[in-house]
Amino acid sequence: MLPLLLVYIAEYTINQGVAPTLLFPLDETPFSHYRAFYPTYNALYQLGVFISRSSLPFLRVRSLYMPSLFQCLNLLVLGLHALFPFIPNVYCVFLIVFWEGLLGGLVYVSTFRRIQEEVREEDREFSLGATSVSDSGGICIAGFLGMALETGLCAWQVAHGRDWCRRL
Amino acid sequence: MPKSAVLLFDVVPSFLVKLTAPYYIHKIPYRLRILVFVALSTCGMLLIALTPSSISDAKPGQKPGVPDRSEILVKMGGVVLASLSSGGGELSFLGLTHFYGPFSLAAWGSGTGGAGLVGAGAYVIATTTLGLGVKNSLLAFSFLPVIMLLSFFLVLPKSQALKKTTSYQRIPDAADEDAEEDAEDERVDEGLLSQRSSVRGSVRGSVRRSSPGYPSQSKLDNAWRSFKANFLRARSLFFP
């Protein structure tokens, strides 16, 4: 349950807390409004999730902790960029957000697949259901973290001369 | 109402259901569960769609009013119903994959991923491309839970395991109490991952102490032991 919990905390914190502040000057992007960034990030993320959640018949990743670690790294990198911009352009962020979706979906299906394979027959039905609490728990926790992060990051950006997050 | 509060109404009910339901939902047959979830989802969406909205109902030229308390509460009620259905449905369908083999899990994973894409996309298409208002889009989507009914009752192959109410583990009857107690403790202990010996000791100790002498006490005991076994299973799932 723990890797799933971690992945969801990181993922939803990125989506709710950090993504709204990942903005670039409009002329460097294909957008004409600042409010277009967020839905695009969301769409790319969902695409990544869909692809990795459909990957079970083709790809098996045994480790649950490695992808979770990478997801937390994603949160760190994107959070740092919101504070001290170092990512050169928006297309790199597109890639990272897509990668975030891939990781999230991967841990999700891999966790349940591991339960199917490793938990003995009579416990399996219960275990499958019981483990689903980890993603909800992660979303709950991320909801609170995201609230704080979004306001905090935006305020920081405005104080450092980048008021795009207020111009949504 | 702040965005974060709406999110809480959406996420917390689902979380609470997923946390507690595995301990009692096995008493409820799958067919009944599906009917309940479809009803909850539909009611939730209808509540949101049909509540008179002081924003979208404002006459042209009139400044849209601030939604009043009761309107917000009713709509949040709709969100809560949908969230309950979502949480209960997810854990039920996940458990159901146990009866249909490994490919069902792959298909289910893909479906939930697709739901994210389609759910967001359909709303955007309905409100922008098709030009339906918010209220009409929601009304149209209120019919979506019917697809769940069709897929469960018509499309899904019948499985032997769904015929009767399932329980996660067999409860020994009063006559075999003592012999089965040890066997059961062994099974719980040797489960997925090894239990720490102190846990083993406490389970065995409490089970021995509560050895029932009368049938009514035995039912409560069994329920408590079943809960405890499930809880220990859940605990051992925490660190894969």
Side-chain angles (χ1 to χ4, degrees):
Chain A
M1 290 191 204
L2 184 62
L4 198 56
L5 185 70
L6 283 177
V7 148
Y8 265 79
I9 293 177
E11 200 164 313
Y12 274 74
T13 307
I14 295 176
N15 289 342
Q16 287 158 198
V18 181
T21 64
L22 293 174
L23 305 163
F24 291 82
L26 286 175
D27 47 12
E28 295 172 20
T29 70
F31 302 125
S32 50
H33 295 285
Y34 285 110
R35 57 175 183 269
F37 283 88
Y38 185 71
T40 312
Y41 292 147
N42 194 39
L44 285 168
Y45 159 75
Q46 297 282 11
L47 190 63
V49 166
F50 174 64
I51 291 175
S52 57
R53 284 198 190 187
S54 310
S55 69
L56 261 185
F58 316 109
L59 177 70
R60 266 317 303 282
V61 173
R62 301 245 56 158
S63 167
L64 294 176
Y65 286 107
M66 283 306 291
S68 319
L69 215 66
F70 283 132
Q71 195 70 296
C72 295
L73 242 101
N74 272 342
L75 175 59
L76 198 65
V77 165
L78 291 176
L80 279 176
H81 171 75
L83 293 170
F84 314 107
F86 58 87
I87 297 177
N89 57 52
V90 74
Y91 300 98
C92 293
V93 178
F94 285 164
L95 224 63
I96 297 178
V97 165
F98 180 67
W99 166 241
E100 174 207 344
L102 286 178
L103 286 174
L106 186 66
V107 176
Y108 190 77
V109 284
S110 299
T111 300
F112 293 116
R113 169 62 104 220
R114 281 268 301 262
I115 292 178
Q116 262 199 340
E117 290 172 348
E118 296 175 12
V119 173
R120 46 162 207 232
E121 179 99 27
E122 61 253 38
D123 295 338
R124 214 174 287 158
E125 191 189 354
F126 170 81
S127 304
L128 285 168
T131 307
S132 70
V133 75
S134 329
D135 64 85
S136 278
I139 299 176
C140 268
I141 298 174
F144 292 109
L145 282 178
M147 267 192 260
L149 261 184
E150 187 188 352
T151 22
L153 285 175
C154 191
W156 170 282
Q157 288 185 339
V158 170
H160 287 72
R162 290 168 280 138
D163 68 339
W164 305 313
C165 59
R166 293 276 154 86
R167 288 202 244 154
L168 293 174
Chain B
M1 178 157 249
K3 234 191 320 181
S4 40
V6 179
L7 180 74
L8 282 181
F9 278 105
D10 183 33
V11 159
V12 170
S14 161
F15 171 67
L16 290 175
V17 166
K18 289 189 192 180
L19 187 66
T20 59
Y23 298 99
Y24 55 78
I25 208 168
H26 56 288
K27 294 293 181 202
I28 306 172
Y30 280 99
R31 292 172 170 221
L32 184 58
R33 290 193 224 179
I34 305 304
L35 291 172
V36 169
F37 298 144
V38 168
L40 282 174
S41 266
T42 311
C43 290
M45 279 204 267
L46 285 175
L47 261 182
I48 301 174
L50 295 175
T51 314
S53 167
S54 57
I55 294 180
S56 54
D57 287 350
K59 307 210 180 9
Q62 196 184 37
K63 196 160 151 243
V66 174
D68 63 23
R69 241 180 187 197
S70 52
E71 179 192 332
I72 295 179
L73 279 177
V74 170
K75 294 199 172 178
M76 290 303 107
V79 172
V80 166
L81 290 182
S83 173
L84 291 173
S85 164
S86 158
E90 183 171 347
L91 74 89
S92 293
F93 288 123
L94 252 180
L96 207 52
T97 62
H98 165 62
F99 300 105
Y100 289 94
F103 189 69
S104 66
L105 185 69
W108 177 83
S110 178
T112 58
L117 275 177
V118 171
Y123 183 76
V124 168
I125 291 176
T127 47
T128 49
T129 316
L130 293 177
L132 293 170
V134 171
K135 176 173 171 172
N136 292 328
S137 307
L138 287 176
L139 275 176
F141 293 141
S142 308
F143 290 101
L144 285 177
V146 166
I147 302 180
M148 245 201 296
L149 279 179
L150 292 174
S151 65
F152 183 79
F153 287 106
L154 294 181
V155 177
L156 194 65
K158 301 285 175 274
S159 165
Q160 203 46 39
L162 296 183
K163 289 281 193 269
K164 50 185 168 20
T165 307
T166 56
S167 57
Y168 297 127
Q169 70 179 35
R170 250 160 306 188
I171 311 293
D173 53 13
D176 303 315
E177 274 309 309
D178 280 313
E180 295 253 332
E181 260 177 37
D182 282 354
E184 211 170 80
D185 285 347
E186 289 304 310
R187 283 208 334 260
V188 171
D189 294 341
E190 288 159 26
L192 348 147
L193 308 164
S194 56
Q195 307 275 343
R196 284 183 284 276
S197 52
S198 57
V199 167
R200 191 180 302 173
S202 70
V203 172
R204 191 165 283 164
S206 70
V207 167
R208 288 255 165 80
R209 272 196 293 277
S210 58
S211 236
Y214 308 99
S216 57
Q217 218 178 358
S218 150
K219 212 173 175 187
L220 200 61
D221 257 349
N222 287 336
W224 171 248
R225 257 190 299 137
S226 166
F227 171 79
K228 205 156 190 170
N230 282 336
F231 182 75
L232 286 174
R233 263 187 218 121
R235 213 170 86 170
S236 65
L237 284 167
F238 195 75
F239 295 104

